[in-house]
Amino acid sequence: MKVSVSFLTSDNAPRDLKLLNETDCDYIHVDVMDGKFVKNKTMPFSEMKNIYKYTDKRLDVHLMCADPEKYIHKYASLNTEYITIHVEINEDINKLIKLIKSYSIKVGLSIKPNTNIRDIIPYLPYIDLILVMSVEPGEGGQTFITSSEEKVKEIRKLFEEYNLNDIVINIDGGVNDDTIKYCRDCDMVTAGSYILEGDNYQKNIDSLR
Ligand code: DX5
Ligand code: ZN
């Protein structure tokens, strides 16, 4: 199981990113919130970009943004492996997928807990990752929605139906050493508050592998 670590709930991002750099976590998950697609707003890119000097890990960028285009241009300039946009936005998703790919960055598409998985079908041939939200996007430290397990199984069925086998399924929100039992059909989990609690981040990561 790959593990991507969100530092959204961190009260000292430079310290936590340095500590996470010493672990074997696969990615740093970067939550970007615009105050429109979700209520909260993260710090501007001009500040955000400075904290990445504290890590050599590749970034997995989650754009919770109604109009992601300008964020794609900005986050593409960092050490970014994935940029994920939401399927629910009222923008031209195909155009945004092409824009992400033009930077040779892998494309993720995220779905909120109440979104029908059939909405992702038109984009399946063009994406590298599906980010299944197991909480409502917008803040860290929420409770895992257990029906997400079933959603992941349905996505796997879609993959079979459309003969796709190289899309990564990542799940985001409320993942801990208990709720990991609902994530066994995923390839990757994103966890924030659980990893950052206590002082042994590596041990917490190990418990999700
Ligand atoms: C929720 C974010 C998640 C979240 C993960 O809106 O997309 O990445 O911060 O944090 P935990 O693991 O605390 O739910
Ligand atoms: Zn996220």
Side-chain angles (χ1 to χ4, degrees), residues 110-128:
S110 184
I111 49 170
K112 298 206 287 182
N114 294 321
T115 301
N116 191 317
I117 58 159
R118 305 207 73 82
D119 292 359
I120 62 176
I121 292 174
Y123 311 108
L124 287 178
Y126 313 110
I127 64 174
D128 303 288

Side-chain angles (χ1 to χ4, degrees), residues 182-209:
Y182 303 114
C183 307
R184 290 298 168 206
D185 283 327
C186 300
D187 306 293
M188 195 190 315
V189 290
T190 296
S193 49
Y194 167 69
I195 305 275
L196 300 183
E197 86 194 5
D199 54 10
N200 192 336
Y201 298 172
Q202 183 63 58
K203 189 166 147 266
N204 294 347
I205 292 165
D206 289 342
S207 72
L208 303 180
R209 293 272 187 210

Side-chain angles (χ1 to χ4, degrees), residues 34-66:
D34 66 351
K36 292 181 193 130
F37 183 75
V38 291
K39 206 168 65 252
N40 290 327
K41 204 169 175 173
T42 34
M43 62 178 99
F45 182 76
S46 52
E47 283 172 47
M48 195 73 134
K49 74 175 195 305
N50 293 323
I51 63 178
Y52 295 103
K53 56 176 187 253
Y54 297 106
T55 182
D56 321 308
K57 301 277 183 187
R58 300 220 77 199
L59 307 179
D60 152 37
V61 177
H62 177 194
L63 297 179
M64 290 172 270
C65 305

Side-chain angles (χ1 to χ4, degrees), residues 29 31 62 64 172:
H29 182 88
D31 285 304
H62 177 194
M64 290 172 270
D172 183 13

Side-chain angles (χ1 to χ4, degrees), residues 9-44:
T9 54
S10 168
D11 54 15
N12 186 341
R15 179 202 62 197
D16 284 332
L17 287 170
K18 275 188 233 164
L19 287 170
L20 288 166
N21 209 35
E22 303 305 315
T23 72
D24 68 2
C25 76
D26 297 279
Y27 300 99
I28 296 296
H29 182 88
V30 181
D31 285 304
V32 183
M33 307 195 285
D34 66 351
K36 292 181 193 130
F37 183 75
V38 291
K39 206 168 65 252
N40 290 327
K41 204 169 175 173
T42 34
M43 62 178 99

